[in-house]
Amino acid sequence: MSGIGVRLGRLFRKDTGRSFMVAFDRTLLEGPSPHADDASATLDRILSTRPEAVLIGPGLIKHCGEKFGFAGAPSIVARIDYPMVAEFRKAGTELYRMVLDPEHAAKLGADAAVMCLIDGFEDPEYAAENISAVAEAARRCHDVGLPLIVEAVLWGGRNADQKDAERLAVTSRIAAELGADAIKTQYPGSEEGMRRIAGSCPVPVLVLGGATQDGAAVETFTRGAIAGGARGVIFGRNVWQREDVAEVAAMLHRLVHA
């Protein structure tokens, strides 16, 4: 098995073949957020939920890496890009930029890297730039033995429906064909739609959580995602941006690994 395979395998529990990851990269995109003013304290709360891995930006790896530096600690997954969509679109533009070299992510101690492949850019030049960046990052990640997780999403301004199962399936498959070792994508809203995405993608598919929802809603779409073939979740605000962190985390462990 290659170094890529070893590190990718560490993201998934051996007994279930699935993964419960927590994403704490939101503050890289928007700065301080509710429940996350103190990054170190929030990371402590996240680590108390016993995830298989935590997704964070390069600055937090640098400043809080000691929290992961012991046997049995969760893996570190590094955000290496900066998708400038959504609120940036209000200013009349969409952009996409890489912010961290895969080689530097490895030197910081990352076990894997995450970047976006965004479908629906208004400007096709940005779509081409994004595709090229994913292909280049896959090559460079693999040169240093890092698995690459591609966040295949429909965040471009041309997409009115960001949960369209067919478009998510297409974007996820393209990401895998470009070299992704795993996919992080939107739950399309149904078990059938999830099965379409996971069934047509040759690498493991995990679902993202999005904005904070009540516990019942989180349970419903997590059940649907796992039943539809998702190999786990990478949830951010639906874990750390709430008071009942321990309760929700226990539910997610049960749903993912039962």
Side-chain angles (χ1 to χ4, degrees), residues 89-209:
R89 193 179 305 121
K90 298 173 185 176
T93 187
E94 293 175 325
L95 294 170
Y96 177 86
R97 292 292 183 268
M98 299 296 293
V99 295
L100 182 64
D101 295 333
E103 298 85 355
H104 192 194
K107 289 177 182 178
L108 286 173
D111 302 293
V114 163
M115 65 184 299
C116 287
L117 180 63
I118 301 170
D119 177 86
F121 275 115
E122 296 281 7
D123 188 335
E125 288 295 325
Y126 293 133
E129 180 183 327
N130 191 183
I131 290 169
S132 177
V134 171
E136 175 70 7
R139 181 186 67 77
R140 292 173 66 179
C141 280
H142 295 166
D143 281 347
V144 294
L146 281 184
L148 176 65
I149 302 171
V150 173
E151 192 164 353
V153 289
L154 310 182
W155 293 343
R158 291 193 293 108
N159 287 323
D161 181 4
Q162 296 186 358
K163 296 184 179 182
D164 182 282
E166 192 58 37
R167 289 306 308 163
L168 288 169
V170 169
T171 307
S172 297
R173 178 60 176 267
I174 290 171
E177 299 273 0
L178 288 170
D181 302 290
I183 299 297
K184 175 188 178 189
T185 195
Q186 188 88 27
Y187 177 59
S190 70
E191 181 181 330
E192 179 183 4
M194 189 74 241
R195 191 171 292 111
R196 170 63 177 142
I197 298 166
S200 60
C201 192
V203 299
V205 175
L206 303 107
V207 294
L208 59 88

Side-chain angles (χ1 to χ4, degrees), residues 233-248:
V233 301
I234 309 181
F235 287 175
R237 289 167 287 173
N238 277 295
V239 175
W240 55 262
Q241 199 173 64
R242 57 198 315 134
E243 298 296 336
D244 57 339
V245 171
E247 181 180 337
V248 169

